[in-house]
Amino acid sequence: MNKMNDDFILSNGYKIPCVGFGTWQTPDGDTAVSSVKAALRFGYKHIDTAAVYGNEKSVGTGIAESKVSREELFVTSKVWNKDRGYEKTIAAFNKTLSDLGLDYLDLYLIHWPANSKQFTNWDEINLETWRAMTKLYKEGKIRAIGVSNFLPHHLKSLMKTEIPPMVNQIEFHPGQMQNETVDYCKKHNMLVEAWSPLGTGRMLSNDTLKEIAAKYNKSVAQLCIRWCLQNEVLPLPKSVTPSRIKENTEIFDFVISDEDMSLINSMDYCGGSGMNPDEVKF
Ligand code: A2P
């Protein structure tokens, strides 16, 4: 990957720009509008949002006001947990599309798996939600479909369906690599996307990372984003600050050495959100 609009190729052949702009915790209204506009101005081609972020209308306004042609853009959203199941997923998708002011999505994800702590029939629920995703995909309303926060045992049944997930978006940053899930996804031709590639900012004060970043004359944020790409994971850094939004695109003029990659890859668990998909109560 050499620039923001270089692509990963999904299992169905669809192209996905290699860095996405995250919008989790971006306040709705002017902040969301202006940060999306800044991202598109600084070269992002890929915006990641979700119904539960509560900012889809503003994200859509930012996209519209940027006047970037729709074909050049890649837009992802996610179906929230209260909308699991066939009918509800289709209704949620239609609302998302209308809130974003778009007529198709590039990627739609199941935000979290139904888990066994909350549901005895969790697998069935995930399959029903997936049936809706598949229908929307076949109708051409979504160019690619996937999941988020799914662990291998949540993925097993979906892998046996007609159209298996193309993407799994998980928490991924130095200190939280989820190797088992990443290996499973790679083995099954599923692209892994990183939410919170900076550990929601928590990794920025890490001494090991500070030391390594300094060697390359880069910030820790740039190191973390580059590190995702070199692990073949698609980073989704979030910022509402124009200078940082720009800084986070300047990641193609250095290469992390194999030695430093190994050092970061072997860091002990740290900086994680602590949200375990098998345990969460939402
Ligand atoms: P802000 O949005 O106020 O600019 P993550 O992508 O892992 O979720 O991390 C997002 C957090 O990291 C936000 O608090 C964001 O702050 C902060 N952040 C994003 N990019 C940078 C950067 N280049 N330097 C410092 N902080 C950053």
Side-chain angles (χ1 to χ4, degrees):
M1 303 293 164
N2 298 309
K3 52 187 186 315
M4 291 298 278
N5 57 353
D6 276 352
D7 304 300
F8 286 101
I9 313 274
L10 299 177
S11 58
N12 66 344
Y14 200 62
K15 291 178 176 171
I16 177 167
C18 67
V19 180
F21 183 61
T23 62
W24 179 39
Q25 296 178 332
T26 296
D28 193 29
D30 289 348
T31 307
V33 174
S34 63
S35 56
V36 166
K37 284 168 79 174
L40 296 178
R41 202 166 59 244
F42 293 134
Y44 283 85
K45 299 290 178 198
H46 173 173
I47 310 283
D48 183 275
T49 186
V52 77
Y53 299 170
N55 56 20
E56 285 179 313
K57 282 190 182 160
S58 303
V59 168
T61 304
I63 290 172
E65 290 184 2
S66 295
K67 309 235 180 309
V68 180
S69 73
R70 178 66 185 94
E71 311 81 71
E72 268 189 74
L73 264 189
F74 191 104
V75 183
T76 301
S77 191
K78 314 180 191 84
V79 56
W80 185 237
N81 303 355
K82 73 172 176 50
D83 293 319
R84 290 180 182 124
Y86 185 79
E87 300 293 344
K88 281 191 187 169
T89 295
I90 289 178
F93 170 78
N94 287 329
K95 177 163 187 335
T96 277
L97 208 56
S98 137
D99 284 352
L100 283 165
L102 300 176
D103 54 13
Y104 70 90
L105 277 189
D106 294 280
L107 178 64
Y108 199 44
L109 306 176
I110 302 181
H111 208 145
W112 288 84
N115 66 30
S116 59
K117 275 264 153 77
Q118 295 187 65
F119 306 97
T120 46
N121 61 340
W122 59 272
D123 201 26
E124 216 174 284
I125 296 172
N126 291 332
L127 280 165
E128 272 302 280
T129 309
W130 192 246
R131 197 161 67 84
M133 309 283 284
T134 304
K135 176 191 189 294
L136 294 164
Y137 173 71
K138 283 186 170 172
E139 287 174 354
K141 292 177 178 162
I142 316 170
R143 304 296 194 245
I145 48 178
V147 296
S148 183
N149 302 301
F150 274 50
L151 303 175
H153 58 275
H154 301 125
L155 282 162
K156 257 192 192 123
S157 299
L158 300 194
M159 296 318 298
K160 293 185 202 129
T161 63
E162 183 191 355
I163 301 172
M166 297 153 198
V167 168
N168 190 9
Q169 183 180 128
I170 59 172
E171 181 178 6
F172 183 91
H173 53 76
Q176 167 66 318
M177 288 188 70
Q178 306 207 49
N179 286 323
E180 196 195 329
T181 300
V182 171
D183 290 348
Y184 181 93
C185 291
K186 287 187 176 169
K187 189 167 147 218
H188 291 89
N189 208 5
M190 217 180 296
L191 177 72
V192 177
E193 295 185 335
W195 62 259
S196 285
L198 319 176
T200 323
R202 288 182 294 269
M203 296 319 293
L204 302 175
S205 55
N206 180 279
D207 287 336
T208 308
L209 297 179
K210 277 200 216 161
E211 222 171 273
I212 297 173
K215 283 209 304 206
Y216 298 95
N217 259 325
K218 287 286 168 184
S219 67
V220 173
Q222 290 167 324
L223 179 77
C224 290
I225 297 165
R226 175 82 204 179
W227 168 84
C228 288
L229 286 178
Q230 289 189 216
N231 275 313
E232 288 173 24
V233 170
L234 189 155
L236 301 165
K238 171 265 177 188
S239 176
V240 296
T241 315
S243 59
R244 293 173 173 173
I245 296 172
K246 181 165 184 289
E247 179 186 316
N248 294 348
T249 67
E250 293 163 351
I251 51 164
F252 299 102
D253 55 358
F254 74 116
V255 177
I256 306 170
S257 69
D258 290 347
E259 198 187 327
D260 288 333
M261 285 299 292
S262 304
L263 203 66
I264 304 173
N265 286 350
S266 60
M267 278 169 60
D268 287 337
Y269 176 82
C270 61
S273 68
M275 285 193 275
N276 176 344
D278 271 331
E279 305 282 337
V280 294
K281 297 204 173 82
F282 48 79

